[in-house]
Amino acid sequence: MEATAREFNHNSSQILAAAERGETVTVTKNGRPVARVVPYDPAEVPPYPPGPIGDIELPQIDLGGDLTNDDIEDILKGMGA
């Protein structure tokens, strides 16, 4: 099915109903395709990110010898700001 942008604006309820019935609707503007309304498939949309979002860079900290909790707290202050 195909609909112009104007038809989509005026008939969005019918176009969404067509998608709900399983039809794919291509929306055109000035004769060229600009969008596609497709039926929703819950199997295609994971409930959470499917994998790692990216590399995590950890700060380099030279902890040197034996440190007390106060020493560690002083080093870490401001790192999250």
Side-chain angles (χ1 to χ4, degrees):
M1 179 178 186
E2 189 171 291
T4 65
R6 175 180 236 166
E7 290 168 336
F8 182 78
N9 284 333
H10 292 292
N11 304 314
S12 59
S13 295
Q14 291 92 341
I15 291 170
L16 292 175
E20 191 173 32
R21 290 190 305 269
E23 294 183 51
T24 296
V25 182
T26 301
V27 181
T28 62
K29 189 172 184 179
N30 297 324
R32 65 181 216 294
V34 294
R36 187 177 302 143
V37 180
V38 298
Y40 176 76
D41 181 358
E44 291 181 12
V45 182
Y48 51 85
I53 295 174
D55 293 336
I56 298 174
E57 292 186 28
L58 299 175
Q60 296 296 318
I61 302 173
D62 180 13
L63 297 178
D66 295 327
L67 295 175
T68 66
N69 285 341
D70 290 335
D71 293 333
I72 294 171
E73 187 175 331
D74 288 341
I75 291 170
L76 295 176
K77 276 186 182 169
M79 289 186 104

